[in-house]
Amino acid sequence: MTDTSVRIDGNTLRLPGGAAVRFVRTLRLPETGTHPLPPGLGEFPVRRVSDYPDTVPEQWRARGGVMLPVYLREAMWLSFGSTVEPAALQVGVGKVCAVSGKPWSDRLARDPQNYVVLPRQPWLDGINSGEGTVRQFVAVPLGLGATVEGQVTGEEVWGGVQLQSFRLVEERLSEWRQAQQRMRSASGPAMGYGAAVPMAMAAPAAPAAAPRSAPSMGLGVGGSLRQEVYRDDRPLSDWADTPAGRVFVHLVTPPEWRRITGEAPPPSPVDRAAYTRAGLPWFDYYDQDAQDLAPTDALEGVKPVGDWLGDDHEPWQQPASHQVEPLGDAPGKPVEDGDW
């Protein structure tokens, strides 16, 4: 029987079929202008909801999945660099597809495309918003209407992030593996598409307490980045009809993270101007053989979180041209899925 379990490897979520996802902290960009890709500032810690049955909200237990701590208006991006075999990955923000703007679905679609193709898509920094651009993922509380979910559907029910992976059908996967074997035989040992960052999982240390409700967080959008969301060049029939696995990712405020897990949350995000003054790199990524997806009406009209929360007056310093670098062409217990 095929294993449909999602597992945590360090802070990497490994979905069945080889798809790997890490959530990376990053600088939040100004909500005007279009910018190069900001740097990663370390991974968000990820924990299984089922490890904290006495302290997580009851609704979270019902949905299962994992959780990570995030500050108000903190930005993140999703890294797929440890993916080992081709996969079609759906990314939902409050059960709205971050690629198509359509409602969450258990099937792949092509018009508009509702998934990214791994490992061709190395990362995703936000929702598909325009030709060659995305709008940065930014954490906001539910209830204001600022999330992508709230703006697209008119309601804020789910929050969080949803991931669902699809394998290649067996014949196509076999062909891909044979091609990889021929390449390895011709060129010698290779490192593949990247390795998981080895990080120790902290043992659950939750204090005994009665479960209660917790502030719910979702993703809105911030500034615009130069990033393409690539069109799939395979026929849809190459992919399985049903998902290999899925996981619900709950976003937790830092005080709730401490209460639920007993762990200290990561420190608040670094000052953007200080980062740029230090001369640290930003990135541009371009794949000349890939075709970008056009934006959809639903996502093109999503407004930035500043329209709800106002300007935080954080200083911005544009990176110098020499700081923008062009980029070239062991698992634990399964994560419990639930009802969502």
Side-chain angles (χ1 to χ4, degrees):
M1 182 176 177
T2 302
D3 185 9
T4 61
S5 301
V6 177
R7 298 176 185 272
I8 299 177
D9 179 6
N11 292 319
T12 299
L13 286 178
R14 296 200 176 275
L15 284 78
V21 182
R22 290 184 298 129
F23 294 84
V24 183
R25 310 179 77 200
T26 190
L27 301 180
R28 182 166 53 84
L29 300 175
E31 293 176 356
T32 57
T34 299
H35 307 273
L37 301 178
L41 300 176
E43 302 168 357
F44 287 94
V46 178
R47 303 289 180 263
R48 280 179 293 266
V49 167
S50 61
D51 285 345
Y52 304 92
D54 297 327
T55 51
V56 295
E58 185 175 349
Q59 186 182 60
W60 295 11
R61 292 205 310 270
R63 293 176 182 173
V66 300
M67 57 186 173
L68 60 85
V70 62
Y71 287 82
L72 174 66
R73 297 181 78 156
E74 185 172 10
M76 69 169 61
W77 51 276
L78 277 58
S79 170
F80 312 129
S82 297
T83 297
V84 295
E85 292 189 333
L89 181 72
Q90 293 176 324
V91 179
V93 286
K95 294 188 71 172
V96 173
C97 177
V99 177
S100 70
K102 298 294 185 180
W104 187 254
S105 171
D106 61 358
R107 297 184 68 86
L108 298 180
R110 205 51 167 275
D111 189 21
Q113 183 174 311
N114 66 351
Y115 59 97
V116 291
V117 182
L118 310 187
R120 186 69 177 275
Q121 189 81 38
W123 47 64
L124 186 67
D125 284 63
I127 65 168
N128 180 29
S129 60
E131 297 294 342
T133 66
V134 299
R135 298 298 298 270
Q136 190 176 37
F137 291 132
V138 176
V140 287
L142 302 191
L144 301 176
T147 62
V148 176
E149 176 186 4
Q151 294 187 58
V152 172
T153 71
E155 297 180 306
E156 291 182 315
V157 177
W158 299 100
V161 177
Q162 298 76 40
L163 303 171
Q164 189 164 251
S165 64
F166 291 74
R167 294 182 171 96
L168 286 173
V169 296
E170 192 58 42
E171 182 180 358
R172 297 293 171 261
L173 182 57
S174 177
E175 292 172 354
W176 181 86
R177 287 171 174 168
Q178 291 172 15
Q180 294 299 302
Q181 183 61 46
R182 288 194 294 271
M183 290 172 58
R184 284 193 292 268
S185 298
S187 60
M191 292 298 292
Y193 295 109
V197 177
M199 296 185 67
M201 266 298 273
R212 63 178 187 180
S213 62
S216 297
M217 301 279 282
L219 291 181
V221 302
S224 180
L225 297 87
R226 290 191 289 272
Q227 182 177 90
E228 294 177 314
V229 180
Y230 297 133
R231 185 182 302 279
D232 188 6
D233 55 8
R234 292 179 176 272
L236 199 58
S237 58
D238 279 9
W239 300 105
D241 291 333
T242 56
R246 66 175 197 165
V247 62
F248 197 109
V249 183
H250 303 267
L251 305 181
V252 186
T253 64
E256 285 299 311
W257 177 262
R258 184 186 293 274
R259 184 190 68 80
I260 291 170
T261 67
E263 301 176 32
S268 60
V270 70
D271 175 78
R272 299 182 304 197
Y275 188 97
T276 301
R277 285 196 301 270
L280 299 172
W282 296 64
F283 303 96
D284 267 332
Y285 184 90
Y286 177 66
D287 186 336
Q288 64 179 359
D289 297 323
Q291 189 174 6
D292 186 33
L293 288 176
T296 64
D297 293 340
L299 295 181
E300 203 169 14
V302 172
K303 303 298 183 185
V305 299
D307 285 13
W308 281 263
L309 300 176
D311 186 356
D312 62 357
H313 304 292
E314 188 177 348
W316 173 252
Q317 183 173 335
Q318 192 72 16
S321 58
H322 70 271
Q323 289 178 253
V324 181
E325 296 187 359
L327 299 179
D329 206 10
K333 296 184 298 184
V335 173
E336 290 186 5
D337 190 22
D339 184 12
W340 50 276

